[in-house]
Structure formats: structure tokens, C-alpha cells
Amino acid sequence: NGRHSSQTLPLLYQLSLWNSLNPLLSFQQRSQHLHQEQIQSQKTTFFAHPKETLPHPFRFDHEIAAIQSHLQAPFLILVLLFLLFYVVIMVGNLLILLMVFSDSRLHTPMYFFLANLSFVDVCNSTTITPKMLADLLSEKKTISFTRCVIQMSVSYTMGSTECVLLAVMAYDRYVAICNPLHYPVLMSHKICLLIVVAAWLGGSIDGFLLTPV
């Protein structure tokens, strides 16, 4: 017995020294031991009272409904905000189109380009905003592949056409300021019509090339 105790004491001393020099290892071992005890306790409770440990369906549905009610308010605010923006965009651009085509004094190259720009803005907003508002209000937020391709193509086309029209409008103002005497020749009705057709054609080609099909 004395020999056995003399061999046990150095072993216990080495273990205590190892634990004191490695607190992280000791903490990890205690954590694993507590985690195993917790799992064993949950298993024992489940097999002893299975009906009490399972969540009640009504309670679960009530919690989901509460979460959805909390998340619904920000979505409604976003819907109202984007709907307001969409209405302002549509009304403003449609008024510009109505004024340009109804008033003969506005039948000039600058307002002709501005009317095309307003039409592009109407098409671009109508391509994206209604679907976004519908997705914010509905639970099923999906889109078909065909509709997604069409939406991307139209959006790219309108964006490219808008860039070309803005550049053309800048050139129109440059000619009107720097070459006012040659302005009627350089920016005649035929030339403006060709520029707009080229802008729409270039935007359509760019939208077709950028669309991943």
C-alpha cells in the first residue's frame, strides 16, 4: 500500500500541475462534461414526458403570427413610400409628354428629346416598380425565368437609351449656344428623328447583349 500511494501521489501532482498550467483545456473539458449532462437530461425529460417537451402547435403558430405582424409594418411603409415615388414619376413624366405634344410652341429639338426621355423614364419605372410592390405585399416573392429575362432586357434597354438621349441633349445645348446660326441646319427635324431612332436602336442592341440568356 505504501508503494502504491508513493506512485499515486506524483501522478496526482502531475495532473494538478497540468490543469493549472492549461486552464483552457480544463475549461473545455468541463464545458464538454456539462454539455453532455445537459443532453442526457433533455433525453430523460423527453422520454419521461414527451407531450410536455414538444411545442404546442397553437403556441408555435401564435409566435409566427407575432413575428409576421412585427415585420409587416416596415414593409407597408416601404410599399407606401415607393408607391408615392412611382405615382410622382408617372404623373410628372406624363404631364411633360402631354404638354410637349399638345403645345405647338414646344415642338423644338430640345423638347422632342425631353419627351423621349420622359417616355423612357415611364417605361423603366413601370418595368421594375409594380413587380417590386407586388413582392413586398405578397408572401410568394418569385419570378419566372421568362419574365426575369424580359425585365432585365427592358431595363438595360431603357438605361442605355436614356444615357444616349442625355448625351444628345447635351450636344443640342452645345450647338444652340456655340453655333446659334447653324442650329436650324445641324438640328433639323429629320436629323433629330434619326438621332432618336439611333438612340432607341443602340439601347435595344445594348440591352439584348447585356441580357444573360
Side-chain angles (χ1 to χ4, degrees):
N1 292 332
R3 185 179 178 181
H4 180 71
S5 61
S6 64
Q7 293 178 355
T8 307
L9 287 175
L11 182 61
L12 293 175
Y13 176 74
Q14 290 177 3
L15 289 175
S16 61
L17 181 62
W18 178 260
N19 290 331
S20 62
L21 293 177
N22 296 275
L24 183 61
L25 180 62
S26 179
F27 176 75
Q28 184 179 5
Q29 292 175 353
R30 289 197 301 270
S31 300
Q32 292 177 356
H33 182 68
L34 291 174
H35 183 64
Q36 291 177 358
E37 288 184 352
Q38 186 178 5
I39 293 176
Q40 188 66 28
S41 176
Q42 290 178 356
K43 289 181 179 179
T44 305
T45 306
F46 174 76
F47 286 111
H49 305 283
K51 294 184 178 180
E52 295 180 1
T53 54
L54 291 175
H56 196 274
F58 177 75
R59 188 188 310 161
F60 186 69
D61 294 338
H62 181 70
E63 291 176 357
I64 292 179
I67 294 173
Q68 290 179 350
S69 64
H70 285 296
L71 294 176
Q72 192 175 5
F75 281 114
L76 289 177
I77 294 174
L78 287 176
V79 168
L80 293 176
L81 186 63
F82 286 119
L83 181 61
L84 177 62
F85 291 159
Y86 180 66
V87 170
V88 171
I89 290 172
M90 294 296 293
V91 171
N93 288 297
L94 290 177
L95 285 177
I96 291 175
L97 289 172
L98 181 62
M99 291 174 61
V100 170
F101 286 106
S102 61
D103 194 349
S104 59
R105 294 173 298 179
L106 300 179
H107 293 172
T108 59
M110 182 182 69
Y111 289 104
F112 178 66
F113 296 141
L114 184 62
N116 280 272
L117 188 65
S118 297
F119 182 72
V120 168
D121 200 7
V122 168
C123 294
N124 198 10
S125 301
T126 307
T127 303
I128 299 173
T129 309
K131 176 60 179 173
M132 181 185 66
L133 295 176
D135 288 341
L136 288 175
L137 290 174
S138 63
E139 296 181 358
K140 186 179 180 181
K141 297 176 175 56
T142 58
I143 186 172
S144 63
F145 178 77
T146 304
R147 189 170 182 178
C148 180
V149 170
I150 293 174
Q151 188 180 36
M152 291 180 64
S153 179
V154 173
S155 180
Y156 287 144
T157 300
M158 296 305 159
S160 302
T161 306
E162 185 175 1
C163 292
V164 176
L165 287 174
L166 289 173
V168 170
M169 291 175 69
Y171 174 75
D172 173 73
R173 291 299 87 198
Y174 168 77
V175 173
I177 295 172
C178 296
N179 297 306
L181 298 179
H182 297 86
Y183 181 77
V185 179
L186 295 175
M187 301 299 293
S188 63
H189 180 71
K190 183 179 180 180
I191 293 176
C192 292
L193 187 60
L194 290 175
I195 290 174
V196 169
V197 171
W200 280 98
L201 184 61
S204 301
I205 295 174
D206 187 58
F208 177 76
L209 293 177
L210 290 176
T211 304
V213 180

